Amino acid sequence: MADLEDPPVFLGFDFSSQQVKVAAIDGRLDVLHQSIVHFDSELPEFRTQGGVHLHGDGLRVTSPVLMWVKALDLLLDKMKTSEFDFSRVRALSGSGQQHGSVYWRRRASETLSQLDPDQSLHQLLQDSFSVSDSPVWMDSSSSQQCQDLEAAAGGAQRLADITGSRAYERFTGNQIAKLRQTRPEDFQDTERISLVSSFAASLFLGDYAAIDYSDGSGMNLLDISSRTWSEICLDAVAPHLGRLLGAPLPSTSVLGPVSSYFVRRYGFSAGCSVVAFTGDNPASLAGMRLQPGDVSVSLGTSDTVFLWPQQLRPALEGHIFCNPVEREEYMALLCFKNGSLTRERIRNQCAGGSWEVFSAALRDTPLGNNGNIGLYFDTMEITPAAVGLHRFDSDDTEVSSFSARVEVRALVEGQFMSRRVHAERLGYSMRTRVLATGGASSNKEILQVLSDVFNAPVFTIDVSSSACLGSAYRAAHGLVSESGVSFFDVVKNAPEPQLVATPHPAAQEVYPPMLRRYTRLEERVLQQRPT
Ligand code: ADP
Ligand code: XUL
């Protein structure tokens, strides 16, 4: 048991696409513990690939909600086995892959409030979900509902002005509209809809947790200026939707104490607070301690680019979310679906499945790839909305293949040129530094290409997941935010990001013309019919 003199500990969880992770930090923000449960390999009974099920047409993508529940059981059991002292945890928070939705069956709140500590969450919550396969961010099957929502709001730009984004298939409002139309009985049987983040918070709270403003901004339902649900959007999606969602809250809110289930089963202190969970990208922003002017590139299952914009300027490309750490501020985000999974495919095809060989190909090929450019959209991309594989030689002639090494560089350069071109459209212009995070940020050669293409130094933080770390920081901040302490005061002693790559001197000559060509070639691909 901890006594009052023991230094406090804060936990951050991340329910991401392929795994659930946790990081524990102490009051000095040093990382004390990290654990992970990987869905495909550690929970094979759910038969996921990359954490998801792909359905027939390739557009519908779901994850089993009970897999997330079971992964949490396993994660906490691993912590217990490693003798982690739960009684020292003063507050916990977390994040979830954005946009995914969880449908709680009628009377699930009763079950949640009376969890028997002798049983696992997975046993106890078997019958608590009206929809067993949650639609996730990779789903792009709600095009019709997107059109309907934009029409109801008065057009795509008008919807972006209200919610920060035009309608996107993966955004939760459109997924809810589709579910209501295609599975009316399951919808009727639902008493509450959570995001993955607020679902995870609900498990810890033993009650339905509020959706926070920041993750709530990824639904096409929140008015990001007033930070309330937009009645126009709610009405367009489903009657009485406000009741099913509950009122949204600031991302810094303390939701309440951890439920007695965790006190009795794992030895948490009854005074441990649950701070609102948020999306994985907002949590990463906190973990990277992003400042106005910085750009962060996250290389996870999806690649994302985020910025701290100086002005609120929602556009037809990219997203504006409420900022998770500063109540009055915003964050801008771009999401690219063909990130790590495409890099893995090319690694398997061109580098015998080895990151070492993949990295060697990057080292052994010149900046600019002798003019060869590739656009690799294995699945329908979000930014831009294009699909298929497109390779161009130095004369902009489309070719059917590249040698293995050229393919590897074309993929990584093409991905980063795309990240830069689209970030610039969203207002990115500073050349100060790029903060890199996500699984592939452990790869120095990939980060060297990032640095060259952005012509800026690249920094990273030494932790397995910035979303976890950001969640732990947010837990610590949540406890004091009501007394006016800023997030940056709480994290001021956190370790500084480490410099990992500086741009090659030739980069500033090589890439400006390549970026102009990339922009033209992307236009050309967009005008072609899908392959
Ligand atoms: P999530 O989006 O689920 O949080 P992560 O940020 O942990 O995922 O990223 C997982 C991805 O990291 C894997 O799909 C893998 O392709 C990539 N990855 C891991 N190690 C390397 C490496 N050495 N080089 C390139 N990519 C890597
Ligand atoms: C962001 C997005 C993904 C998910 C999964 O809009 O769809 O980044 O958050 O990481």
Side-chain angles (χ1 to χ4, degrees):
M1 273 302 260
D3 70 42
L4 284 173
E5 300 304 307
D6 282 341
V9 170
F10 303 97
L11 286 185
F13 292 86
D14 179 33
F15 286 68
S16 69
S17 311
Q18 302 193 52
Q19 57 256 313
V20 173
K21 308 173 202 162
V22 65
I25 58 169
D26 62 16
R28 290 192 308 268
L29 311 179
D30 290 331
V31 176
L32 304 175
H33 177 95
Q34 299 188 71
S35 284
I36 188 164
V37 172
H38 185 250
F39 302 140
D40 294 0
S41 57
E42 292 179 78
L43 295 166
E45 63 273 35
F46 291 98
R47 298 172 188 279
T48 54
Q49 270 192 327
V52 302
H53 293 149
L54 285 174
H55 300 273
D57 54 7
L59 297 179
R60 202 161 81 78
V61 186
T62 62
S63 292
V65 61
L66 282 170
M67 176 181 77
W68 295 329
V69 173
K70 199 166 184 181
L72 179 60
D73 285 328
L74 215 59
L75 188 73
L76 293 169
D77 288 346
K78 280 190 185 185
M79 293 173 81
K80 199 172 177 176
T81 308
S82 70
E83 296 186 355
F84 179 80
D85 182 359
F86 291 96
S87 71
R88 283 174 60 195
V89 180
R90 199 70 65 78
L92 65 88
S93 187
S95 63
Q97 52 168 300
Q98 295 201 254
H99 319 294
S101 41
V102 172
Y103 299 80
W104 297 89
R105 177 171 281 146
R106 283 182 198 280
R107 288 185 290 284
S109 64
E110 277 168 45
T111 311
L112 257 185
S113 66
Q114 305 165 6
L115 297 171
D116 168 7
D118 291 332
Q119 295 186 57
S120 67
L121 290 170
H122 177 248
Q123 287 168 318
L124 292 162
L125 296 173
Q126 284 290 328
D127 298 319
S128 294
F129 304 100
S130 50
V131 175
S132 56
D133 288 298
S134 284
V136 295
W137 66 273
M138 292 161 115
D139 186 289
S140 46
S141 66
S142 66
S143 302
Q144 181 58 52
Q145 290 73 23
C146 287
Q147 285 174 27
D148 297 346
L149 183 61
E150 287 184 350
Q157 183 60 52
R158 181 75 196 110
L159 183 65
D161 292 339
I162 302 170
T163 69
S165 305
R166 68 173 303 170
Y168 283 87
E169 279 82 357
R170 69 192 193 290
F171 275 46
T172 327
N174 308 307
Q175 293 293 339
I176 296 172
K178 186 182 151 223
L179 203 114
R180 172 178 165 246
Q181 290 161 19
T182 55
R183 300 175 63 170
E185 282 166 15
D186 294 333
F187 194 77
Q188 276 301 321
D189 203 21
T190 300
E191 69 176 15
R192 180 79 172 213
I193 302 175
S194 295
L195 294 176
V196 177
S197 57
S198 62
F199 144 79
S202 304
L203 299 178
F204 285 105
L205 207 55
D207 193 3
Y208 293 138
I211 291 174
D212 76 296
Y213 294 158
S214 203
D215 209 12
S217 311
M219 302 175 78
N220 275 145
L221 296 177
L222 188 79
D223 180 327
I224 58 164
S225 304
S226 66
R227 291 162 156 85
T228 55
W229 298 125
S230 152
E231 288 302 329
I232 298 174
C233 298
L234 291 188
D235 289 348
V237 167
H240 314 299
L241 184 55
R243 248 187 270 154
L244 285 174
L245 297 174
L249 281 184
S251 311
T252 50
S253 309
V254 174
L255 302 177
V258 74
S259 103
S260 60
Y261 174 85
F262 294 91
V263 177
R264 289 159 65 196
R265 189 172 171 93
Y266 294 104
F268 276 89
S269 140
C272 169
S273 295
V274 179
V275 174
F277 282 35
T278 190
D280 53 358
N281 294 297
S284 270
L285 175 141
M288 301 300 289
R289 292 177 294 140
L290 199 82
Q291 309 271 349
D294 285 340
V295 61
S296 176
V297 177
S298 166
L299 305 169
T301 309
S302 62
D303 283 357
T304 57
V305 171
F306 41 86
L307 316 163
W308 184 311
Q310 313 291 315
Q311 295 163 357
L312 182 56
R313 213 178 47 190
L316 292 180
E317 184 171 282
H319 317 298
I320 307 289
F321 294 161
C322 295
N323 190 295
V325 298
E326 286 280 347
R327 282 196 189 189
E328 306 297 317
E329 298 281 332
Y330 293 91
M331 67 180 278
L333 178 105
L334 286 162
C335 183
F336 304 86
K337 206 191 273 184
N338 294 281
S340 277
L341 299 180
T342 309
R343 287 188 288 273
E344 279 177 29
R345 180 182 68 75
I346 299 281
R347 177 201 63 184
N348 294 344
Q349 282 176 4
C350 300
S354 149
W355 285 125
E356 256 317 301
V357 178
F358 185 95
S359 302
L362 291 176
R363 270 196 308 273
D364 295 346
T365 44
L367 273 71
N369 212 11
N370 293 321
N372 295 302
I373 292 183
L375 289 82
Y376 298 80
F377 306 123
D378 286 356
T379 52
M380 182 55 132
E381 186 47 273
I382 297 165
T383 325
V387 71
L389 311 182
H390 311 271
R391 301 177 186 85
F392 300 92
D393 68 12
S394 56
D395 297 325
D396 290 353
T397 303
E398 189 146 10
V399 294
S400 57
S401 63
F402 286 149
S403 72
R405 291 190 321 170
V406 170
E407 182 99 313
V408 168
R409 180 167 275 277
L411 167 72
V412 179
E413 281 190 345
Q415 288 185 326
F416 292 150
M417 285 197 281
S418 158
R419 310 311 176 242
R420 178 166 163 187
V421 163
H422 291 281
E424 284 178 348
R425 286 191 199 152
L426 206 64
Y428 165 68
S429 58
M430 313 278 278
R431 295 281 175 268
T432 45
R433 61 175 188 173
V434 177
L435 297 167
T437 175
S441 69
S442 61
N443 186 315
K444 295 245 169 7
E445 283 75 16
I446 289 180
L447 296 187
Q448 183 59 51
V449 180
L450 177 65
S451 175
D452 292 339
V453 172
F454 274 69
N455 195 27
V458 171
F459 291 76
T460 184
I461 51 168
D462 184 21
V463 69
S464 72
S465 158
S466 57
C468 267
L469 189 65
S471 299
Y473 289 168
R474 291 181 55 259
H477 176 229
L479 284 192
V480 292
S481 76
E482 277 306 318
S483 22
V485 180
S486 88
F487 177 76
F488 292 104
D489 276 341
V490 171
V491 297
K492 64 178 184 290
N493 295 327
E496 284 302 318
Q498 298 298 305
L499 178 66
V500 279
T502 47
H504 190 282
Q508 55 188 343
E509 268 101 62
V510 172
Y511 287 108
M514 291 278 283
L515 286 156
R516 285 193 291 278
R517 281 183 57 215
Y518 179 88
T519 307
R520 280 202 310 274
L521 293 171
E522 192 186 275
E523 260 318 298
R524 210 160 112 189
V525 165
L526 280 169
Q527 281 157 14
Q528 286 172 12
R529 294 177 64 78
T531 49

mmCIF file of all heavy atoms in Angstrom, residues 391-411:
data_model
loop_
_atom_site.group_PDB
_atom_site.id
_atom_site.type_symbol
_atom_site.label_atom_id
_atom_site.label_comp_id
_atom_site.label_asym_id
_atom_site.label_seq_id
_atom_site.Cartn_x
_atom_site.Cartn_y
_atom_site.Cartn_z
ATOM 1 N N ARG A 391 3.359 5.055 -60.515
ATOM 2 C CA ARG A 391 4.819 5.283 -60.528
ATOM 3 C C ARG A 391 5.167 6.116 -61.749
ATOM 4 O O ARG A 391 4.686 5.845 -62.858
ATOM 5 C CB ARG A 391 5.558 3.955 -60.605
ATOM 6 C CG ARG A 391 5.254 3.003 -59.470
ATOM 7 C CD ARG A 391 5.991 1.691 -59.681
ATOM 8 N NE ARG A 391 5.626 0.691 -58.686
ATOM 9 C CZ ARG A 391 4.568 -0.115 -58.783
ATOM 10 N NH1 ARG A 391 3.750 -0.040 -59.834
ATOM 11 N NH2 ARG A 391 4.312 -0.991 -57.824
ATOM 12 N N PHE A 392 6.025 7.123 -61.556
ATOM 13 C CA PHE A 392 6.397 8.016 -62.655
ATOM 14 C C PHE A 392 7.911 8.109 -62.719
ATOM 15 O O PHE A 392 8.581 8.229 -61.681
ATOM 16 C CB PHE A 392 5.808 9.416 -62.428
ATOM 17 C CG PHE A 392 4.296 9.414 -62.343
ATOM 18 C CD1 PHE A 392 3.661 9.297 -61.109
ATOM 19 C CD2 PHE A 392 3.517 9.500 -63.495
ATOM 20 C CE1 PHE A 392 2.276 9.281 -61.023
ATOM 21 C CE2 PHE A 392 2.132 9.479 -63.413
ATOM 22 C CZ PHE A 392 1.504 9.370 -62.175
ATOM 23 N N ASP A 393 8.455 8.099 -63.972
ATOM 24 C CA ASP A 393 9.898 8.280 -64.113
ATOM 25 C C ASP A 393 10.211 9.774 -64.150
ATOM 26 O O ASP A 393 9.317 10.620 -63.981
ATOM 27 C CB ASP A 393 10.427 7.519 -65.339
ATOM 28 C CG ASP A 393 9.923 8.127 -66.651
ATOM 29 O OD1 ASP A 393 9.362 9.262 -66.630
ATOM 30 O OD2 ASP A 393 10.094 7.481 -67.699
ATOM 31 N N SER A 394 11.477 10.110 -64.405
ATOM 32 C CA SER A 394 11.874 11.513 -64.283
ATOM 33 C C SER A 394 11.256 12.398 -65.363
ATOM 34 O O SER A 394 11.306 13.618 -65.265
ATOM 35 C CB SER A 394 13.400 11.618 -64.321
ATOM 36 O OG SER A 394 13.859 11.017 -65.505
ATOM 37 N N ASP A 395 10.649 11.757 -66.407
ATOM 38 C CA ASP A 395 9.941 12.557 -67.423
ATOM 39 C C ASP A 395 8.442 12.625 -67.142
ATOM 40 O O ASP A 395 7.666 12.973 -68.035
ATOM 41 C CB ASP A 395 10.116 11.921 -68.815
ATOM 42 C CG ASP A 395 11.574 11.918 -69.233
ATOM 43 O OD1 ASP A 395 12.261 12.888 -68.884
ATOM 44 O OD2 ASP A 395 11.997 10.934 -69.871
ATOM 45 N N ASP A 396 8.026 12.220 -65.975
ATOM 46 C CA ASP A 396 6.608 12.175 -65.615
ATOM 47 C C ASP A 396 5.825 11.156 -66.436
ATOM 48 O O ASP A 396 4.604 11.275 -66.595
ATOM 49 C CB ASP A 396 5.934 13.563 -65.757
ATOM 50 C CG ASP A 396 6.407 14.544 -64.700
ATOM 51 O OD1 ASP A 396 7.140 14.118 -63.796
ATOM 52 O OD2 ASP A 396 6.041 15.735 -64.790
ATOM 53 N N THR A 397 6.535 10.174 -67.005
ATOM 54 C CA THR A 397 5.837 9.118 -67.744
ATOM 55 C C THR A 397 5.472 8.026 -66.750
ATOM 56 O O THR A 397 6.323 7.604 -65.938
ATOM 57 C CB THR A 397 6.774 8.530 -68.832
ATOM 58 O OG1 THR A 397 7.180 9.602 -69.653
ATOM 59 C CG2 THR A 397 6.073 7.454 -69.654
ATOM 60 N N GLU A 398 4.218 7.567 -66.807
ATOM 61 C CA GLU A 398 3.791 6.530 -65.865
ATOM 62 C C GLU A 398 4.456 5.207 -66.252
ATOM 63 O O GLU A 398 4.459 4.823 -67.424
ATOM 64 C CB GLU A 398 2.257 6.408 -65.848
ATOM 65 C CG GLU A 398 1.784 5.499 -64.739
ATOM 66 C CD GLU A 398 0.457 5.891 -64.090
ATOM 67 O OE1 GLU A 398 -0.241 6.785 -64.595
ATOM 68 O OE2 GLU A 398 0.130 5.271 -63.061
ATOM 69 N N VAL A 399 5.049 4.510 -65.281
ATOM 70 C CA VAL A 399 5.712 3.229 -65.550
ATOM 71 C C VAL A 399 5.083 2.164 -64.659
ATOM 72 O O VAL A 399 4.447 2.485 -63.647
ATOM 73 C CB VAL A 399 7.242 3.306 -65.289
ATOM 74 C CG1 VAL A 399 7.919 4.241 -66.279
ATOM 75 C CG2 VAL A 399 7.543 3.748 -63.855
ATOM 76 N N SER A 400 5.250 0.884 -65.036
ATOM 77 C CA SER A 400 4.518 -0.147 -64.302
ATOM 78 C C SER A 400 5.298 -0.675 -63.097
ATOM 79 O O SER A 400 4.704 -1.264 -62.192
ATOM 80 C CB SER A 400 4.166 -1.305 -65.238
ATOM 81 O OG SER A 400 5.368 -1.779 -65.799
ATOM 82 N N SER A 401 6.622 -0.488 -63.078
ATOM 83 C CA SER A 401 7.352 -0.987 -61.909
ATOM 84 C C SER A 401 8.649 -0.207 -61.718
ATOM 85 O O SER A 401 9.112 0.478 -62.639
ATOM 86 C CB SER A 401 7.675 -2.472 -62.099
ATOM 87 O OG SER A 401 8.523 -2.625 -63.215
ATOM 88 N N PHE A 402 9.196 -0.340 -60.511
ATOM 89 C CA PHE A 402 10.520 0.186 -60.180
ATOM 90 C C PHE A 402 11.345 -0.980 -59.665
ATOM 91 O O PHE A 402 10.789 -1.993 -59.202
ATOM 92 C CB PHE A 402 10.427 1.210 -59.034
ATOM 93 C CG PHE A 402 9.860 2.565 -59.398
ATOM 94 C CD1 PHE A 402 9.135 3.293 -58.440
ATOM 95 C CD2 PHE A 402 10.066 3.147 -60.648
ATOM 96 C CE1 PHE A 402 8.627 4.561 -58.734
ATOM 97 C CE2 PHE A 402 9.555 4.416 -60.941
ATOM 98 C CZ PHE A 402 8.839 5.121 -59.991
ATOM 99 N N SER A 403 12.664 -0.814 -59.656
ATOM 100 C CA SER A 403 13.483 -1.828 -58.972
ATOM 101 C C SER A 403 13.167 -1.741 -57.479
ATOM 102 O O SER A 403 12.638 -0.726 -57.005
ATOM 103 C CB SER A 403 14.965 -1.548 -59.213
ATOM 104 O OG SER A 403 15.330 -0.405 -58.474
ATOM 105 N N ALA A 404 13.539 -2.804 -56.747
ATOM 106 C CA ALA A 404 13.151 -2.871 -55.330
ATOM 107 C C ALA A 404 13.620 -1.645 -54.551
ATOM 108 O O ALA A 404 12.860 -1.033 -53.798
ATOM 109 C CB ALA A 404 13.709 -4.150 -54.715
ATOM 110 N N ARG A 405 14.890 -1.244 -54.744
ATOM 111 C CA ARG A 405 15.412 -0.139 -53.935
ATOM 112 C C ARG A 405 14.764 1.192 -54.304
ATOM 113 O O ARG A 405 14.491 2.037 -53.455
ATOM 114 C CB ARG A 405 16.939 -0.064 -54.074
ATOM 115 C CG ARG A 405 17.595 -1.263 -53.392
ATOM 116 C CD ARG A 405 19.079 -1.132 -53.295
ATOM 117 N NE ARG A 405 19.678 -0.541 -54.492
ATOM 118 C CZ ARG A 405 20.933 -0.149 -54.576
ATOM 119 N NH1 ARG A 405 21.723 -0.267 -53.537
ATOM 120 N NH2 ARG A 405 21.414 0.365 -55.684
ATOM 121 N N VAL A 406 14.530 1.361 -55.621
ATOM 122 C CA VAL A 406 13.878 2.602 -56.070
ATOM 123 C C VAL A 406 12.439 2.651 -55.532
ATOM 124 O O VAL A 406 11.940 3.706 -55.120
ATOM 125 C CB VAL A 406 13.912 2.693 -57.618
ATOM 126 C CG1 VAL A 406 13.045 3.836 -58.128
ATOM 127 C CG2 VAL A 406 15.353 2.861 -58.087
ATOM 128 N N GLU A 407 11.800 1.489 -55.485
ATOM 129 C CA GLU A 407 10.423 1.424 -54.975
ATOM 130 C C GLU A 407 10.371 1.881 -53.506
ATOM 131 O O GLU A 407 9.501 2.644 -53.104
ATOM 132 C CB GLU A 407 9.910 -0.013 -55.085
ATOM 133 C CG GLU A 407 8.474 -0.206 -54.633
ATOM 134 C CD GLU A 407 7.471 -0.250 -55.778
ATOM 135 O OE1 GLU A 407 7.535 0.626 -56.676
ATOM 136 O OE2 GLU A 407 6.640 -1.170 -55.779
ATOM 137 N N VAL A 408 11.344 1.394 -52.714
ATOM 138 C CA VAL A 408 11.353 1.746 -51.286
ATOM 139 C C VAL A 408 11.494 3.264 -51.135
ATOM 140 O O VAL A 408 10.736 3.920 -50.413
ATOM 141 C CB VAL A 408 12.499 1.008 -50.545
ATOM 142 C CG1 VAL A 408 12.695 1.579 -49.152
ATOM 143 C CG2 VAL A 408 12.198 -0.483 -50.472
ATOM 144 N N ARG A 409 12.448 3.860 -51.847
ATOM 145 C CA ARG A 409 12.629 5.306 -51.703
ATOM 146 C C ARG A 409 11.432 6.070 -52.287
ATOM 147 O O ARG A 409 10.986 7.070 -51.717
ATOM 148 C CB ARG A 409 13.945 5.782 -52.344
ATOM 149 C CG ARG A 409 14.135 7.292 -52.189
ATOM 150 C CD ARG A 409 15.531 7.757 -52.514
ATOM 151 N NE ARG A 409 16.436 7.644 -51.390
ATOM 152 C CZ ARG A 409 16.544 8.563 -50.419
ATOM 153 N NH1 ARG A 409 15.820 9.668 -50.427
ATOM 154 N NH2 ARG A 409 17.408 8.390 -49.435
ATOM 155 N N ALA A 410 10.890 5.572 -53.404
ATOM 156 C CA ALA A 410 9.745 6.269 -54.008
ATOM 157 C C ALA A 410 8.574 6.296 -53.027
ATOM 158 O O ALA A 410 7.870 7.299 -52.899
ATOM 159 C CB ALA A 410 9.334 5.583 -55.312
ATOM 160 N N LEU A 411 8.389 5.184 -52.320
ATOM 161 C CA LEU A 411 7.290 5.127 -51.345
ATOM 162 C C LEU A 411 7.501 6.174 -50.248
ATOM 163 O O LEU A 411 6.623 6.991 -49.973
ATOM 164 C CB LEU A 411 7.223 3.727 -50.716
ATOM 165 C CG LEU A 411 6.328 3.654 -49.475
ATOM 166 C CD1 LEU A 411 4.862 3.753 -49.866
ATOM 167 C CD2 LEU A 411 6.587 2.396 -48.669
#
